[in-house]
Amino acid sequence: AHNFSMTWCYECRSEIAPALRALIPDPLISVIMPCYNQAPYIRESMETVIDQTWPSWELIVIDDASPDGCGQTAEDFARHGGVDKVGDGLARLRVIRNSENRGLAESRNVGIRAARGIWICALDADDGIHPEYFWRAMDAMSAEPELQLITADQRMFGDISWTWELPEFTLQQATSRGPLPVMSLYLRSLWRQVGGYSKALPWGDEDYDFWLSLLEIGVHVRKLEGALTFYRVKAGSMMRESEAYEEEQQAMLRTRHMPLYPAAKLLRDHEKVMGMTAQTRRRLELLQARGDPRDDDFAFRSFWLALSDYG
C-alpha cells in the first residue's frame, strides 16, 4: 500500500488516479513575478517555473511600467518558447501591466489579488527555483495538512556564489539573523490576514517585513531538504543599494513590529530614525507624496518623518 498524497495522484498508474487529480485545485500554486528592467533575465526565471515537475501552477507577470517592456518579453517567450514545454503555456501565463511604476511591494500585491492559487510563490524576475521545488512542497503539504509556510535553503549565483543554509524559523532566529528566501511558499490566506506586502519602508525589505508579520500571528512552517531556491546577486540591485542605509532601515522595520523586540532595542531604534540620512528622508518624502493618508503605510512614514524632524 502507498500512503496517499497529492504527488501520488500524478505518480500512480491506477485507473482512479485521473479522478483524484481532478479534485486537486488547478492552479494550486500562483507564481507572482513583478518585473522592472529585467527583460534580460525574465526568460531564464520563467524557465525554472515551466520546468517544474509539479504541473498545477499559474504564472502572473506584473510589468511595473518597465521601460524595457519585460511584460512583452514574457508573453513572447510563452508564445514561442515556453509553449514547447507546456502545451497550455499561454493559458498558464497572465501579464498585468501597471499604468505607472508602483514598486515591488505593491506589484506583488497586484499580482496576488489576481491570483487563483491557494499557495503563493513570490519569484522575482531574475531569480529561480529548483525543478522539484513545487513537487517536494506538495508532498510535504500532503503529509502535514496544517502547513502554512514552506521554505528551503537558497543558492546564491551571479556576482557571488554560496549557499544560504536556513536556520529554524523561530522568533529568536528571525529577529536576530534575518528573513526567509522571498520565494518561500505560503498560503494566500496569510497574505490577506496580514494586509499584504507593506510599501512603507524606503529601501525595500518588504519580504522581511512580511515574514515578521507572519511571526506575529504564528504559522506552521516546514523546511524542505536541499537548496531549492536560487537568488541572483547583482552589484546594482536594490538590496545591494540599500546596504548603505541598512541600520536605519532595520530600525524602521523593527518599529513596525514592536511586540517582537525588547524595549531597550526599540529605544535605540527610535534614536537611529531620528538621525536618518538625507537620502533616506528624501525617499520617505517621495513615497509619502504618492501615498494614501488612509493606509497604515502612510501613518508609519509620517511617524518616521516626525522623529526625523524632532532629531
Side-chain angles (χ1 to χ4, degrees), residues 4-293:
F4 175 78
S5 70
M6 286 188 288
T7 51
W8 178 84
C9 294
Y10 288 92
E11 293 172 325
C12 181
R13 297 181 180 275
S14 167
E15 293 180 358
I16 67 169
L20 292 173
R21 287 198 293 270
L23 300 177
I24 299 174
D26 188 10
L28 186 62
I29 301 171
S30 293
V31 182
I32 308 301
M33 185 180 291
C35 64
Y36 185 82
N37 280 343
Q38 291 165 310
Y41 308 106
I42 194 168
R43 294 187 181 193
E44 183 180 350
S45 185
M46 292 174 65
E47 281 271 14
T48 71
V49 179
I50 293 169
D51 287 344
Q52 290 299 302
T53 53
W54 175 261
S56 178
W57 53 263
E58 67 173 347
L59 173 59
I60 301 176
V61 173
I62 305 92
D63 184 335
D64 193 20
S66 179
D68 69 354
C70 54
Q72 188 60 51
T73 301
E75 284 186 344
D76 292 344
F77 174 69
R79 185 174 292 109
H80 303 300
V83 73
D84 295 335
K85 293 187 176 182
V86 182
D88 57 351
L90 285 173
R92 290 191 179 274
L93 169 72
R94 281 184 285 165
V95 176
I96 298 173
R97 291 178 170 85
N98 291 342
S99 58
E100 61 180 4
N101 182 262
R102 305 180 70 176
L104 179 58
E106 184 56 20
S107 291
R108 284 198 190 131
N109 291 333
V110 167
I112 295 170
R113 290 186 195 109
R116 295 176 294 151
I118 296 172
W119 288 82
I120 298 296
C121 175
L123 179 63
D124 289 346
D126 52 358
D127 296 336
I129 48 179
H130 189 281
E132 294 185 4
Y133 183 39
F134 291 169
W135 188 278
R136 296 189 199 179
M138 295 307 106
D139 220 19
M141 292 175 205
S142 296
E144 301 176 58
E146 71 277 9
L147 282 179
Q148 299 169 291
L149 174 63
I150 299 175
T151 190
D153 291 341
Q154 184 166 87
R155 180 169 60 82
M156 311 293 182
F157 69 102
D159 289 350
I160 298 174
S161 180
W162 63 286
T163 298
W164 176 19
E165 296 182 358
L166 298 182
E168 186 180 357
F169 187 61
T170 63
L171 175 60
Q172 181 179 1
Q173 291 289 351
T175 55
S176 63
R177 297 186 59 183
L180 299 172
V182 59
M183 60 289 285
S184 299
L185 291 156
Y186 59 86
L187 288 174
R188 186 176 55 171
S189 58
L190 292 177
W191 171 84
R192 288 195 298 266
Q193 189 172 349
V194 301
Y197 288 94
S198 170
K199 310 177 293 297
L201 293 162
W203 299 105
D205 270 341
E206 53 280 313
D207 309 312
Y208 196 177
D209 181 82
F210 185 78
W211 304 134
L212 291 177
S213 295
L214 296 190
L215 262 181
E216 288 185 285
I217 63 174
V219 291
H220 293 282
V221 187
R222 167 79 178 274
K223 179 188 169 186
L224 305 176
E225 293 295 324
L228 304 179
T229 66
F230 310 135
Y231 180 85
R232 187 188 303 270
V233 179
K234 304 192 299 292
S237 69
M238 177 69 172
M239 186 184 78
R240 303 277 292 199
E241 178 188 7
S242 68
E243 287 177 358
Y245 312 101
E246 183 69 15
E247 289 188 7
E248 56 198 39
Q249 170 92 337
Q250 289 297 306
M252 293 178 194
L253 179 67
R254 287 188 288 267
T255 64
R256 281 182 46 79
H257 302 279
M258 289 193 283
L260 301 179
Y261 296 94
K265 188 177 213 41
L266 292 169
L267 180 60
R268 292 192 296 272
D269 288 336
H270 283 68
E271 293 172 348
K272 176 63 69 174
V273 175
M274 287 168 63
M276 73 173 68
T277 60
Q279 292 89 339
T280 294
R281 182 178 177 92
R282 187 155 46 246
R283 285 186 70 91
L284 283 173
E285 289 171 341
L286 288 172
L287 289 170
Q288 200 71 327
R290 299 166 55 186
D292 184 345

